[in-house]
Amino acid sequence: MRKNIVAGNWKMNNSLQEGLTLAKDLQKALNGKTVNCDVIVCTPFIHLASIAPELTSIGLGAQNCADKVSGAYTGEVSAAMIASTGAKYVIIGHSERRAYYGETNAILKEKVLLALANGLTPIFCIGEVLAERESGSQNAVVEKQIRESLFDLSVADFGKIVLAYEPVWAIGTGKTATSAQAQEMHAFIRKTVEAKYGKQAAEDVSILYGGSCNAGNAAELFANPDVDGGLIGGASLSVEKFLPIVEAF
Ligand code: 13P
């Protein structure tokens, strides 16, 4: 079944102490509240084990995982290590990983397989850069990202994936996709999934929007029939900014 989800992507922000305080404050703010979506925070690796015991209703995720099982890969963190902290989610294929760390569709495919093998839910990011949007090739770009990284999965495994459409030109720029642009792309993504995995899989997959989503625009974005929530960067770094987005559902 399709779920509404609001996930925070803290990116490379917050010391361990600051992260712990933010996680505790957010959990406290949600205690006793009924919300109409799953709430997730994706923290830096080193925060995971400390934050996991503090969360009761909030899901915990990492922002990346290695494309290898284990071994001599200095500085890498495996999907198994992430799972061992109690985290249940992992962002894979964020545009910052693609752009700054050379992560290709083929590498991301390996990461997805390892996340699934370790019981983690991948939050798989897709999205075009500005030049691609301006040349009208955004659909082709997003279709290729999905096909090359995800379309060898079984229908059962695909059913474990959460998708996040993040137009790169909207990330951290204050320039949100319009509600209509988001809906149009999310409907296209759902159609792409349907063509490969059928109607039920397309109906069931949660597709989040990310890119300058905030308290002021979340409700309008989430009201679209194919927008099932948000992946939130900057506005996930304070309870005051994040909570109204959660409550936009
Ligand atoms: P901003 O919300 O800061 O634009 O970041 C979006 C994002 O990249 C979430 O993964």
Side-chain angles (χ1 to χ4, degrees):
M1 270 300 288
R2 200 196 299 189
K3 281 181 173 169
N4 292 333
I5 298 168
V6 173
N9 174 9
W10 290 3
K11 306 193 180 184
M12 196 173 73
N13 292 294
N14 288 330
S15 68
L16 177 58
Q17 290 72 25
E18 289 163 344
L20 255 175
T21 301
L22 175 57
K24 284 187 201 176
D25 287 351
L26 185 63
Q27 183 60 68
K28 210 154 74 191
L30 285 169
N31 285 342
K33 257 198 171 65
T34 308
V35 292
N36 298 315
C37 61
D38 288 0
V39 182
I40 299 166
V41 291
C42 297
T43 78
F45 290 131
I46 60 149
H47 298 49
L48 293 171
S50 304
I51 287 180
E54 304 297 337
L55 303 180
T56 50
S57 66
I58 301 171
L60 180 63
Q63 301 168 14
N64 178 31
C65 69
D67 62 340
K68 304 287 193 298
V69 174
S70 65
Y73 301 102
T74 301
E76 288 293 295
V77 175
S78 72
M81 292 171 189
I82 293 167
S84 74
T85 67
K88 301 284 187 228
Y89 299 86
V90 57
I91 296 172
I92 295 177
H94 193 281
S95 61
E96 288 149 18
R97 301 292 318 171
R98 293 175 188 262
Y100 307 146
Y101 301 97
E103 298 195 358
T104 62
N105 292 341
I107 291 171
L108 298 173
K109 179 177 173 176
E110 297 305 314
K111 295 190 177 201
V112 168
L113 290 173
L114 286 165
L116 290 172
N118 287 282
L120 298 171
T121 297
I123 300 174
F124 190 78
C125 300
I126 50 196
E128 80 285 359
V129 300
L130 185 60
E132 293 163 340
R133 165 70 57 172
E134 285 176 344
S135 70
S137 59
Q138 67 270 18
N139 286 9
V141 167
V142 166
E143 189 272 341
K144 187 176 195 291
Q145 290 171 334
I146 296 174
R147 174 166 39 83
E148 292 189 354
S149 296
L150 300 179
F151 276 2
D152 284 333
L153 294 174
S154 66
V155 65
D157 276 345
F158 185 83
K160 298 170 187 160
I161 306 276
V162 171
L163 294 176
Y165 170 58
E166 300 205 309
V168 179
W169 46 271
I171 296 176
T173 58
K175 194 176 164 191
T176 323
T178 64
S179 178
Q181 283 173 323
Q183 169 56 27
E184 188 182 36
M185 177 57 88
H186 283 225
F188 169 76
I189 292 167
R190 212 176 289 286
K191 249 182 46 196
T192 302
V193 170
E194 181 177 344
K196 170 71 183 173
Y197 289 110
K199 216 170 179 49
Q200 194 60 52
E203 193 46 48
D204 286 349
V205 65
S206 295
I207 310 174
L208 315 184
Y209 168 80
S212 299
C213 187
N214 58 44
N217 57 31
E220 191 189 344
L221 285 162
F222 298 171
N224 287 298
D226 289 303
V227 178
D228 307 308
L231 184 55
I232 318 301
S236 71
L237 294 173
S238 81
V239 176
E240 297 67 36
K241 290 184 176 161
F242 192 56
L243 197 57
I245 302 176
V246 170
E247 292 176 324
F249 269 114

